[in-house]
Amino acid sequence: MTESAGTTRRPRGRPSTGVRAAILASALEIISGDGLDQLTTRAVAKRAHTSEASVFYHFGDKVGLLQAAVMAGLGPLKALDPAAVTGALDQPPVETLAVITAALEQFFNHAMPVIATIQSDASLRRAFAERLVEGDLGPHRGVQLLADYLRAMVTRGVVRADVDCDAVAMLVVGGCFLAAWQRAMSGDTGDGKLPELRRIVEALGVLLAPDVLETERSASVGDRAGRRRQAGGGETSPAAAPRRSR
């Protein structure tokens, strides 16, 4: 059968680019404005100006859509300079910690409404938890990222050697989460009731810094050893030292 004049056939195959982003944006709008009861694949498709089949094509089901909605907030963390978070970048830890905590806070600000939606439905919560376990996803990934950075800083000698990096990382990530939760629950009325993350980072900088006396003592020992080597042309041991004539 020939196609009648003026009729546009819908292209087959993969949906056009931009549809996935439109679906995600629509889902987040419904979550923030209308709540879980209104979050249906049909409602999302209608708001995104696409078909319900496209929702299933890109995300599989409602749980997959919510998982993608949470993961969409990882942009600030993915944008972090790898040289900075691995400790290869030569900059003070306070500066790097400030960048990491800002990215974590942005992620939690984005994810908080979605997380609240998931927690409000028992079956959805169980299904979402299974997906997280399968993909090894969750807050522990942020803790690992920060702990690995702190360990690199310990190796470089700019963070105290006796620091429990995993515990410190959990405290920092927990602070970022709490700040986002306060904002989600109280809005602008909650501003100023918690310390700013900048203050937390500055306090950490003081607490994590190596002991000044210990650092100076190590440097002094190194300097003395270097001067001895320069004066004697190498290391001097008791066995190699010349004996005094009697």
Side-chain angles (χ1 to χ4, degrees):
M1 181 182 295
T2 59
E3 190 174 344
S4 60
T7 302
T8 303
R9 176 181 294 175
R10 186 172 182 173
R12 296 181 179 180
R14 188 177 182 84
S16 60
T17 58
V19 172
R20 189 178 192 279
I23 293 172
L24 271 180
S26 299
L28 289 169
E29 289 173 5
I30 293 174
I31 289 170
S32 300
D34 304 320
L36 178 63
D37 291 342
Q38 303 301 315
L39 185 67
T40 64
T41 53
R42 181 175 297 178
V44 171
K46 182 178 180 180
R47 184 170 297 211
H49 303 290
T50 188
S51 67
E52 193 173 4
S54 291
V55 178
F56 292 115
Y57 176 87
H58 285 285
F59 303 102
D61 55 18
K62 192 173 183 178
V63 177
L65 177 59
L66 288 170
Q67 181 179 345
V70 172
M71 302 304 289
L74 289 174
L77 288 168
K78 291 180 178 178
L80 290 173
D81 184 355
V85 296
T86 57
L89 192 63
D90 187 15
Q91 68 180 19
V94 171
E95 293 183 15
T96 303
L97 285 172
V99 174
I100 294 175
T101 53
L104 285 168
E105 186 179 20
Q106 289 181 57
F107 167 71
F108 285 128
N109 285 338
H110 168 91
M112 194 63 65
V114 187
I115 294 172
T117 297
I118 293 167
Q119 291 298 315
S120 66
D121 184 278
S123 60
L124 193 60
R125 182 171 63 248
R126 286 192 295 271
F128 188 79
E130 291 175 1
R131 300 284 178 90
L132 291 183
V133 172
E134 289 174 4
D136 190 28
L137 303 171
H140 66 284
R141 298 292 292 270
V143 173
Q144 290 172 355
L145 170 73
L146 192 50
D148 288 344
Y149 166 73
L150 291 173
R151 278 188 277 269
M153 294 298 96
V154 169
T155 302
R156 286 183 53 186
V158 294
V159 166
R160 289 172 47 183
D162 61 345
V163 165
D164 186 335
C165 296
D166 295 294
V168 172
M170 184 169 177
L171 289 171
V172 174
V173 174
C176 296
F177 180 87
L178 190 60
W181 184 41
Q182 174 89 351
R183 189 171 296 107
M185 296 296 102
S186 305
D188 295 339
T189 61
D191 290 346
K193 293 185 178 180
L194 290 175
E196 295 180 357
L197 289 179
R198 173 185 54 80
R199 289 176 53 194
I200 295 176
V201 170
E202 291 175 353
L204 273 176
V206 175
L207 295 172
L208 297 178
D211 182 73
V212 176
L213 292 178
E214 187 65 30
T215 302
E216 291 178 348
R217 189 179 302 116
S218 298
S220 178
V221 170
D223 289 343
R224 287 199 299 270
R227 286 195 295 269
R228 285 198 300 268
R229 285 194 295 270
Q230 291 177 359
E235 291 290 345
T236 303
S237 63
R243 297 181 179 180
R244 293 182 179 179
S245 60
R246 294 183 179 179

